[in-house]
Amino acid sequence: MAKADRLERLDIRRAELEEEYRAALIAALRVTAAGRWGLFDHQQDRSARAKTAPVLAQLDELAQEIDAMRDTLGLEPFDLHPAFLAARGKPAADAVGEPKQAKAWLERMGADAD
């Protein structure tokens, strides 16, 4: 019974961390949608990277904790973080700018841009 309780508490904490990750990502996307470049690293600018580094570090830390919990619980890995990381980096020549990309992500996540 103790193991089941421990696993239940771990699953509740996992869900809380996933919501915290989602909220942090949405907050960062809203800033980007408002016109601040750097979250998706399209321009690969040092200054923009420095400004977004704390946000990315927080997201990475949360994702690692979530994945460790999911592994313990026998769940599939957390897919939102790898999808976000895959969207970062030098874009194709015909790609939209970061603000439009952030708005598309917000829409995909069911969140408003403001």
Side-chain angles (χ1 to χ4, degrees):
M1 188 70 175
K3 184 177 181 178
D5 289 340
R6 192 176 78 246
L7 290 176
E8 183 179 354
R9 285 192 308 273
L10 183 64
D11 193 39
I12 290 168
R13 180 66 182 138
R14 175 203 53 84
E16 291 170 350
L17 284 179
E18 287 181 6
E19 186 54 39
E20 187 177 334
Y21 180 95
R22 187 177 186 286
L25 181 57
I26 287 171
L29 289 168
R30 285 181 175 148
V31 169
T32 303
R36 182 187 226 182
W37 286 63
L39 184 64
F40 291 103
D41 199 27
H42 282 192
Q43 296 175 327
Q44 301 184 343
D45 175 76
R46 287 183 192 175
S47 175
R49 283 179 176 167
K51 288 178 184 174
T52 59
V55 171
L56 295 173
Q58 177 192 19
L59 293 173
D60 283 338
E61 185 178 321
L62 286 169
Q64 288 175 13
E65 285 184 66
I66 292 165
D67 277 337
M69 290 177 183
R70 284 178 158 267
D71 186 51
T72 300
L73 294 165
L75 300 173
E76 294 291 321
F78 185 57
D79 62 350
L80 183 55
H81 189 64
F84 168 68
L85 292 179
R88 297 189 76 241
K90 192 163 177 87
D94 62 345
V96 299
E98 287 192 28
K100 283 188 179 182
Q101 185 175 6
K103 288 176 185 174
W105 266 79
L106 287 167
E107 185 176 309
R108 175 176 138 192
M109 295 177 71
D112 292 329
D114 46 330

